[in-house]
Amino acid sequence: MSVLEVLDPQAEPLAYFNSLHRAFERSLGGQQANRDPLEPLLDVAFENFEHGVAQSAENPYRVACHGGCASCCTIRVVATAPEILLIARMIRAAPKTMEFELKRRIEKAYEATKLLSEAQRMEHGFPCPFIDRDLCVVYSARPLACRGHASYDVQACIDALAGRACETPISSLHLTVRSLVQNAMQSALRDSGRAWATYELNQALHIALSDDDCETAWLKGEDVFASALIADVSREEMAATFDAIKAHCA
Ligand code: SF4
């Protein structure tokens, strides 16, 4: 595993991105094209996210998020293909009754949310299929988007969930580190010839769990989750930014 010990993501964001990009490239296996890159890749992502947040100058212990609070787990979740495929693996490896139940919940969530905009989903408040008694049942594999959404005020989150107008104080540190880690992973995936966009989680899991060959096809470079694409940001602009950062740090 590659954890960046020295660089502070907030103080040196470009160098941090570039070093992470190289760590992701190594985890993708270089010339060993047949090696399974999924878990090594996400180990780099998740461990560097936690480390990047912990080592920053901003005190992480002010964050109010805790087990048993799932107030924000009604927000649309955006994830990369490796994150989606890891959760699909976890579901397939679960005991049969749990696998069946999670697939049932994902289908229900997919049907309920597939035609809704992000704003409509916020208004509707449909819960994530992985919430069970206010805990996340895929916690160890939860996407970077979930890890990067951290609040300083539980009551503000509860008020927001109840539709009461309020300002939710979200940690900019978590948002920044999440963006840097996710973008560096996307950049390395792009350079490896794999689909590197972000996708809506319910819809993408519906695809991943309907097709046993999904993971193999993605590894070969197919954009298997294209119909679940989140197109909020131009991929051309993102690609140009990734290349500019790499050139700047070369
Ligand atoms: S994956 Fe887990 S942390 Fe993320 S929204 Fe769903 S329940 Fe919440």
Side-chain angles (χ1 to χ4, degrees), residues 32-224:
Q32 304 167 42
N34 293 326
R35 198 170 66 87
D36 172 14
L38 212 57
E39 292 187 22
L41 184 80
L42 290 171
D43 281 348
V44 173
F46 296 157
E47 292 186 30
N48 276 288
F49 173 82
E50 301 301 339
H51 189 78
V53 167
Q55 75 168 359
S56 174
E58 185 184 342
N59 180 0
Y61 300 108
R62 287 173 50 219
V63 165
C65 301
H66 59 83
C69 177
S71 301
C72 65
C73 297
T74 54
I75 299 172
R76 179 189 72 173
V77 178
V78 167
T80 58
E83 295 171 289
I84 295 155
L85 292 167
L86 183 72
I87 295 175
R89 267 190 194 181
M90 187 182 253
I91 293 169
R92 287 197 171 101
K96 281 293 159 208
T97 50
M98 183 183 277
E99 179 186 357
F100 180 82
E101 172 60 12
L102 290 176
K103 285 180 172 174
R104 186 192 68 76
R105 288 195 207 176
I106 289 162
E107 281 309 297
K108 191 174 166 198
Y110 163 65
E111 288 298 334
T113 58
K114 65 183 178 185
L115 300 177
L116 301 182
S117 67
E118 187 177 8
Q120 287 169 323
R121 283 179 66 153
M122 283 290 287
E123 200 180 318
H124 189 275
F126 199 88
C128 176
F130 298 124
I131 297 174
D132 189 14
R133 281 164 284 186
D134 285 335
L135 293 172
C136 172
V137 295
V138 294
Y139 191 76
S140 63
R142 70 198 188 287
L144 287 164
C146 304
R147 293 166 201 257
H149 190 91
S151 168
Y152 291 129
D153 185 342
V154 171
Q155 189 56 47
C157 297
I158 292 168
D159 288 345
L161 179 66
R164 292 186 282 274
C166 70
E167 189 84 3
T168 309
I170 297 298
S171 163
S172 61
L173 166 65
H174 286 71
L175 288 176
T176 300
V177 179
R178 173 261 172 124
S179 292
L180 286 167
V181 172
Q182 181 179 300
N183 288 167
M185 177 167 67
Q186 289 178 278
S187 177
L189 288 171
R190 170 175 167 253
D191 289 356
S192 78
R194 272 117 185 180
W196 56 277
T198 54
Y199 310 91
E200 193 281 321
L201 185 62
N202 292 339
Q203 196 175 347
L205 280 170
H206 162 78
I207 296 166
L209 294 167
S210 310
D211 178 2
D212 288 345
D213 297 327
C214 198
E215 188 176 311
T216 306
W218 177 77
L219 285 168
K220 287 180 179 166
E222 202 178 307
D223 192 359
V224 290

